[in-house]
Amino acid sequence: MRERGQRQVFCGLAGIVWLHRKIQDAFFLVVGSRTCAHLLQSAAGVMIFAEPRFATAILHERDLAGLADCNQELDRIVAELLGRRPDIGTLFLVGSCPSEVIKLDLAKAAERLSAAYHGRVRILDYSASGLETTFTQGEDACLRALVPELPSLPDGARSLLVVGTLPDVVEDQFARLFAELGISPVHFLPPRHTSAFPPLGSGTLVLLAQPFVGDTARACQARGARILQAPYPFGVEGTLAWLRAAAQAWGIDEEVVTAVTAPAITRAERGLAHHRSELAGKRISFLPDSQLEIPLARFLQRECGMTLVEVGTPFLDRQLMAQELDLLPDSVRLSEGQDLERQLDRLRADQPDLTVCGLGLANPLEAEGLRTKWSIELVFSPVHGFDQAADLAELFARPLRRGALLRV
Amino acid sequence: MQLTLWTYEGPPHIGAMRVAASLDGVHLVLHAPQGDTYADLLFTMIARSERRPPVTYTTFQARELGGDTAELVKASVSDAYERFKPQVLMVGEACTAELIQDQPGALARGMGLPIPVLSLELPAYARKECWGANETFYQLVRGLLRAQVPEAGRKPAPRPAGQRPRANLLGPTALGFRCRDDVIEVRQLLAAIGVDVHVVAPLGASAQDLLRIPEADFNVCLYPETADQTCDWLERMFGMPTVKTVPIGIGATRDFLDEVGRVTGIDVAHAKAPNSSRMPWYSRSVDSTYLTGKRVFIFGDATHAVAAARICAEELGFTIVGLGTYAREFARDVRECARRYGVDPLITDDYLEVEARAAQLQPELMLGTQMERHIAKRLGVPCAVISAPVHVQDFPARYAPQMGFEGANVIFDTWVHPLMMGLEEHLITMFREDFEFHDAATPSHLGSGAGRDRPSAIETGPTVTPAEASHSDIRWAAEAEQELKKIPFFVRGKARRNTERFAEEQGIQTITVETLYDAKAHFGR
């Protein structure tokens, strides 16, 4: 089912909230309106920052008058910013709806500024406007902008590149697993520091850790890398299949995979058992948010025994989601895009036990008597891999448990 | 362009949303790109509202820009009308829609809906959130009441004998700082002197309630930032007097009651003794003596900043070293107030400018917004929040007004809390090498966790302020530097600056222990 109408989703700018924590020497300068600045601080402002790593260059009336002036203004602002923060290694100029509508050429600006600050700061651009990107697609656009910057992998060499932001602890776990499997070197995109860019070339195998990095994957492909088809590493089944895809491509025996993964799988299944009893048989609906919906629905249905009512996703890349779709039951109602009020009508008619939705809807739905799991947390929490499988299940079990606990 | 780390106000359409979300039966259609629905979570998460704000967004995307976004507006308007059946529909644009100029207000008015349709002009690149709320409320009240305006020159009928005077409370909105409890407190204040509250608006009012506004005897402008235009218009058109004193602080609350007394002809003397507030006694009790002369920097919206200044100076005995506001529309009040307390007013919406001023002034306490908490963290200065913008922790479950006598109690606790307690302050000054109670440790009543950021903040904060860079030609002798460290950390920045200023004035190149004490004698503290 494809729908169009009012959409209750974040724009790509929201990606900055986690990207600025992951890439520690990067700074994100949004070129936009007061609305963009307000979005960022509403999302991240509850943390108190001594030194924030994102900011907005707010357009004023006189900037809308002429474009040449805008470029000078931008140069002035970047100079001010770099003067204040000499520790910035990479500066992202982030496009927004207003900057796109007035056709301010940030790519040109990035090029010009890169030349001016050559050797000191790398200046890149990407668009995270609501016109073009939905929530996690902002990360895709950011990583896509990094791809041309990656050094070349020498011909004949091979490497594995894991694409998509992972919490540091999960990244370390995967690095250990790949080492035990005998896969090396393994690099991650985005890197923790922009001074350590991973190489990319025809010997690179790309494994996607997140389902929303399609454009980045295709950009890697354009530089000769090969994309490995796999489900996404959520739960035991997803993680095993994901690792296996890399191992097979690397030419590693199935027995090695089994031997390496067995202890972690046993552990994960023991952890999952705690939550399965709470989740099994419960009906769940997903409203569109992050493109994580389909892999998570697969995990909850196959490993936790939940019943899927509706799985909504903002955008469905059938090619990158092929392996996941194969694992979903035919009965599931799959929706792409959104017409908010109609979707809420369906939700009220369905009355699922748990609804995964954004924060704009969660409390109002709770007040109507529906239990909700707010979806943004799934992007902020360590949820990938074997050792987080139980944590992931717990994120969904917790609101149900809380609903049963409270007597007020 | 303006480099903005943090913005004090949202765009004007957020102000329009605050008015819509305060009211019943009023729906807002916003022409805005996908993503601007983030604003819903200000209401559902930060203010923890149980209902979605009554706002329909057109959420256009890039692919629709080529096509007919005007059709999208029309479809959104008719869907919103059909589904929500509002009594009044407001139509406005967010910043991106302003650029593509679909004239959504005019489109909606041409659709022949059987309800009042109000078109909002919200210039997103020139104005901000409070202006948007003020304007929206004014346009709404004007639009609904225009038909009721009496002929020029006709005096309002006098109040019938025996009927208690009635007041409208105008200005409280959704997402306003402590509006919920201020309304309760002011209602009690007025009840105590025999005044009834007629309509509270916009917070909690319906479209019908707005129509009843002229029935009251006078208006109380609780929050000028959101209601002064409306009050002025009602005064001009309906001859309704406006009570303008904002009752934040003991003195202001007494003045407020006086003003209500004057407007209504009621004797309010019996209600003015602050018997229901413990704040005057707490502030006079000897425990508070150490608060005398604490150097405080105040920043916020104009109403709360001016109120805070009076409380600091007259009711807590602090010294005001800085006072400012981000609300340019109300800058005059703050300038006047700053003059009264002999400080340089800071009128800016530039966070970086506020940060620079705070670093230069080295206050011992900052009273500000959520944004000043960032600055205070960087400078290692205690901080309390007095004004919007605020985050979720300042929409508390408990009763927490700022206005009236209970408001003064809340303010006393909140502002004193972040300061180090008297005994601890004394002991830290006397014994400098204690492993637990030392300079870099957080006041012990604030717990251990709160202090983790402190040492780094102290290293990067005061030592690199621009003010000090300019004195770099003056050298500190090693033993003078040592002696400086014996001064308690919360006044050390000030002592350093004063000593350097003194040295400069006296033409001293190297600051010795002697210079330090000479400067101390020269400046007093």
Side-chain angles (χ1 to χ4, degrees):
Chain A
M1 181 178 16
R2 294 186 72 154
E3 283 194 310
R4 281 177 75 175
Q6 189 186 178
R7 291 164 70 99
Q8 179 86 19
V9 288
F10 277 120
C11 64
L13 291 179
I16 293 171
V17 175
W18 67 88
L19 283 168
H20 85 278
R21 294 277 117 192
K22 179 70 189 181
I23 316 177
Q24 289 170 11
D25 61 342
F27 193 99
F28 294 81
L29 179 66
V30 178
V31 181
S33 65
R34 193 169 297 281
T35 311
C36 309
H38 194 235
L39 157 76
L40 277 179
Q41 79 181 35
S42 306
V46 74
M47 298 184 274
I48 310 294
F49 294 93
E51 277 299 353
R53 289 204 294 264
F54 51 83
T56 311
I58 293 185
L59 295 161
H60 285 293
E61 265 178 333
R62 56 197 173 83
D63 299 305
L64 303 177
L67 287 185
D69 189 36
C70 254
N71 286 320
Q72 280 174 15
E73 283 288 287
L74 193 57
D75 292 359
R76 176 180 63 78
I77 287 204
V78 167
E80 188 183 336
L81 180 66
L82 294 178
R84 185 183 151 87
R85 300 293 305 277
D87 54 322
I88 297 171
T90 298
L91 175 66
F92 288 99
L93 303 177
V94 187
S96 65
C97 306
S99 74
E100 255 161 50
V101 169
I102 65 168
K103 307 229 179 299
L104 180 58
D105 194 341
L106 290 184
K108 270 266 169 54
E111 216 170 276
R112 184 180 68 239
L113 288 161
S114 284
Y117 293 96
H118 184 73
R120 221 189 104 195
V121 187
R122 189 194 311 259
I123 298 173
L124 304 174
D125 79 289
Y126 70 93
S127 167
S129 74
L131 296 172
E132 300 198 323
T133 60
T134 304
F135 194 31
T136 48
Q137 283 179 316
E139 174 173 334
D140 193 18
C142 174
L143 301 187
R144 166 77 188 79
L146 283 175
V147 171
E149 303 295 313
L150 305 186
S152 292
L153 185 72
D155 286 339
R158 55 178 194 167
S159 74
L160 180 69
L161 182 64
V162 178
V163 177
T165 295
L166 291 169
D168 293 346
V169 57
V170 178
E171 202 174 286
D172 295 343
Q173 286 171 12
F174 282 150
R176 281 199 296 273
L177 281 170
F178 286 126
E180 285 173 45
L181 287 169
I183 299 176
S184 118
V186 179
H187 303 287
F188 293 87
L189 185 70
R192 294 182 198 185
H193 214 263
T194 48
S195 58
F197 276 175
L200 183 64
S202 57
T204 304
L205 297 173
V206 171
L207 198 52
L208 304 183
Q210 300 280 17
F212 46 74
V213 291
D215 281 355
T216 309
R218 278 178 272 271
C220 292
Q221 214 166 13
R223 282 190 56 180
R226 183 154 75 90
I227 313 289
L228 298 178
Q229 290 285 333
Y232 295 90
F234 299 106
V236 172
E237 185 184 33
T239 307
L240 180 59
W242 187 75
L243 291 170
R244 188 179 278 144
Q248 275 171 357
W250 210 266
I252 288 162
D253 285 347
E254 181 62 28
E255 292 91 82
V256 178
V257 176
T258 311
V260 166
T261 53
I265 290 178
T266 315
R267 247 191 343 256
E269 281 178 341
R270 206 165 51 228
L272 267 179
H274 294 304
H275 306 294
R276 194 177 292 124
S277 56
E278 286 171 299
L279 293 173
K282 296 285 196 307
R283 300 163 65 245
I284 187 167
S285 280
F286 286 82
L287 300 191
D289 190 57
S290 61
Q291 300 182 51
L292 291 173
E293 295 84 4
I294 290 173
L296 292 178
R298 178 262 301 160
F299 161 72
L300 291 170
Q301 197 251 338
R302 294 173 65 94
E303 295 185 47
C304 302
M306 294 189 87
T307 306
L308 308 178
V309 183
E310 174 167 340
V311 179
T313 178
F315 180 68
L316 178 57
D317 186 330
R318 290 199 173 268
Q319 201 185 345
L320 294 184
M321 210 54 92
Q323 303 246 340
E324 288 286 351
L325 290 172
D326 288 346
L327 295 173
L328 277 190
D330 293 335
S331 62
V332 66
R333 192 163 78 220
L334 202 60
S335 62
E336 182 187 1
Q338 188 174 34
D339 184 345
L340 177 65
E341 301 294 347
R342 286 206 181 83
Q343 191 164 40
L344 291 178
D345 287 343
R346 289 201 299 275
L347 185 72
R348 290 179 186 122
D350 291 335
Q351 289 288 317
D353 297 300
L354 192 63
T355 304
V356 184
C357 63
L359 289 173
L361 297 168
N363 272 334
L365 290 176
E366 289 279 348
E368 287 184 28
L370 288 164
R371 287 262 79 86
T372 60
K373 163 80 214 94
W374 53 281
S375 50
I376 300 144
E377 199 176 12
L378 300 163
V379 183
F380 289 156
S381 310
V383 291
H384 297 71
F386 294 126
D387 285 311
Q388 279 67 238
D391 301 342
L392 178 56
E394 212 233 329
L395 286 179
F396 295 91
R398 202 184 293 154
L400 294 172
R401 194 182 314 147
R402 187 169 182 77
L405 268 175
L406 297 184
R407 292 282 176 268
V408 289
Chain B
M1 280 184 212
Q2 183 192 349
L3 177 62
T4 311
L5 266 64
W6 303 108
T7 168
Y8 285 97
E9 293 180 74
H13 74 262
I14 300 290
M17 287 184 66
R18 283 173 56 185
V19 172
S22 305
L23 292 160
D24 268 338
V26 175
H27 199 88
L28 171 65
V29 175
L30 261 185
H31 196 21
Q34 163 180 264
D36 279 6
T37 52
Y38 82 86
D40 279 5
L41 67 88
L42 303 172
F43 298 89
T44 60
M45 292 307 294
I46 294 180
R48 286 197 178 87
S49 170
E50 293 182 350
R51 59 169 202 165
R52 286 166 58 207
V55 181
T56 297
Y57 304 81
T58 55
T59 56
F60 57 87
Q61 289 178 269
R63 58 172 181 233
E64 275 133 354
L65 281 182
D68 200 348
T69 43
E71 279 307 314
L72 189 64
V73 172
K74 284 190 182 172
S76 300
V77 167
S78 72
D79 283 356
Y81 174 71
E82 284 306 320
R83 182 171 285 269
F84 299 104
K85 293 279 189 256
Q87 288 149 342
V88 179
L89 191 76
M90 303 195 293
V91 182
E93 295 166 302
C95 52
T96 307
E98 188 182 333
L99 298 172
I100 56 177
Q101 300 192 338
D102 280 325
Q103 314 286 345
L107 283 176
R109 291 181 130 174
M111 288 172 64
L113 295 180
I115 52 166
V117 175
L118 184 70
S119 166
L120 298 173
E121 293 290 332
L122 304 166
Y125 297 91
R127 303 292 189 164
K128 292 178 296 225
E129 177 177 335
C130 285
W131 186 90
N134 202 326
E135 175 73 9
T136 302
F137 186 41
Y138 164 63
Q139 294 292 352
L140 187 62
V141 167
R142 199 177 75 127
L144 290 175
L145 293 180
R146 202 154 27 185
Q148 288 189 38
V149 172
E151 290 161 43
R154 235 183 73 195
K155 287 255 184 293
R159 188 169 76 239
Q163 184 185 305
R164 283 157 60 108
R166 292 184 293 185
N168 298 315
L169 305 186
L170 301 184
T173 56
L175 268 190
F177 182 60
R178 305 292 168 88
C179 286
R180 178 195 70 193
D181 297 340
D182 283 347
V183 167
I184 298 172
E185 190 64 22
V186 171
R187 196 187 278 273
Q188 282 172 9
L189 272 182
L190 291 174
I193 56 169
V195 174
D196 289 335
V197 170
H198 187 58
V199 171
V200 179
L203 193 66
S206 66
Q208 276 89 1
D209 291 336
L210 297 180
L211 290 170
R212 296 193 297 118
I213 283 180
E215 293 165 10
D217 298 292
F218 67 102
N219 293 313
V220 175
C221 186
L222 277 187
Y223 302 94
E225 277 84 355
T226 46
D228 75 324
Q229 277 198 83
T230 305
C231 290
D232 286 351
W233 186 78
L234 290 168
E235 192 155 355
R236 282 202 312 277
M237 295 296 147
F238 292 87
M240 299 176 78
T242 307
V243 168
K244 288 190 170 150
T245 310
V246 177
I248 301 177
I250 297 289
T253 300
R254 289 180 191 158
D255 291 353
F256 169 80
L257 291 171
D258 275 343
E259 193 179 348
V260 173
R262 266 200 310 281
V263 166
T264 56
I266 291 177
D267 177 19
V268 297
H270 68 282
K272 277 167 53 194
N275 47 11
S276 61
S277 182
R278 285 171 288 273
M279 194 263 218
W281 166 242
Y282 270 48
S283 191
R284 282 180 186 276
S285 83
V286 294
D287 193 49
S288 299
T289 310
Y290 83 109
L291 300 177
T292 314
K294 283 265 180 220
R295 303 169 54 261
V296 56
F297 180 88
I298 303 166
F299 197 84
D301 68 20
T303 303
H304 287 90
V306 169
R310 180 169 177 187
I311 296 169
C312 283
E314 298 177 7
E315 298 170 21
L316 290 170
F318 293 157
T319 300
I320 298 164
V321 295
L323 176 66
T325 185
Y326 56 80
R328 282 179 192 282
E329 289 89 345
F330 296 85
R332 185 189 295 177
D333 304 341
V334 175
R335 284 209 183 89
E336 213 171 276
C337 179
R339 206 166 21 245
R340 203 153 53 238
Y341 298 113
V343 294
D344 207 8
L346 178 63
I347 313 297
T348 181
D349 60 357
D350 185 345
Y351 167 85
L352 296 173
E353 224 177 293
V354 181
E355 185 184 74
R357 181 70 69 91
Q360 179 207 342
L361 292 171
Q362 296 285 335
E364 291 165 74
L365 174 67
M366 292 198 55
L367 298 177
T369 72
Q370 175 77 7
M371 307 308 138
E372 276 61 55
R373 296 178 72 197
H374 299 288
I375 296 172
K377 179 176 182 177
R378 182 169 144 93
L379 300 181
V381 173
C383 180
V385 171
I386 61 161
S387 156
V390 292
H391 233 289
V392 61
Q393 63 272 51
D394 279 299
F395 289 91
R398 67 173 189 282
Y399 185 54
Q402 299 288 291
M403 292 184 180
F405 294 129
E406 181 59 24
N409 292 339
V410 170
I411 284 173
F412 182 87
D413 289 345
T414 311
W415 296 7
V416 172
H417 179 79
L419 297 172
M420 186 166 285
M421 292 177 294
L423 173 63
E424 195 169 347
E425 189 177 305
H426 281 302
L427 291 180
I428 281 182
T429 315
M430 284 174 68
F431 309 109
R432 314 217 49 86
E433 274 147 34
D434 190 283
F435 65 93
E436 185 183 3
F437 300 107
H438 54 84
D439 272 7
T442 317
S444 57
H445 66 288
L446 297 182
S448 56
R452 263 176 231 144
D453 303 300
R454 209 40 187 282
S456 66
I458 281 177
E459 279 162 37
T460 57
T463 54
V464 293
T465 57
E468 281 165 39
S470 64
H471 295 294
S472 56
D473 49 329
I474 296 176
R475 216 176 56 80
W476 281 77
E479 66 283 1
E481 192 87 50
Q482 278 304 321
E483 198 70 9
L484 182 70
K485 288 200 179 122
K486 295 176 191 162
I487 295 169
F489 66 90
F490 41 85
V491 286
R492 195 180 304 149
K494 177 76 178 170
R496 177 188 282 274
R497 284 196 334 110
N498 277 351
T499 309
E500 287 173 355
R501 209 169 97 202
F502 179 75
E504 199 177 53
E505 283 167 14
Q506 305 288 315
I508 295 169
Q509 299 293 316
T510 304
I511 294 171
T512 62
V513 176
E514 291 300 308
T515 324
L516 185 67
Y517 285 110
D518 285 345
K520 187 182 175 196
H522 180 77
F523 288 107
R525 183 175 167 187

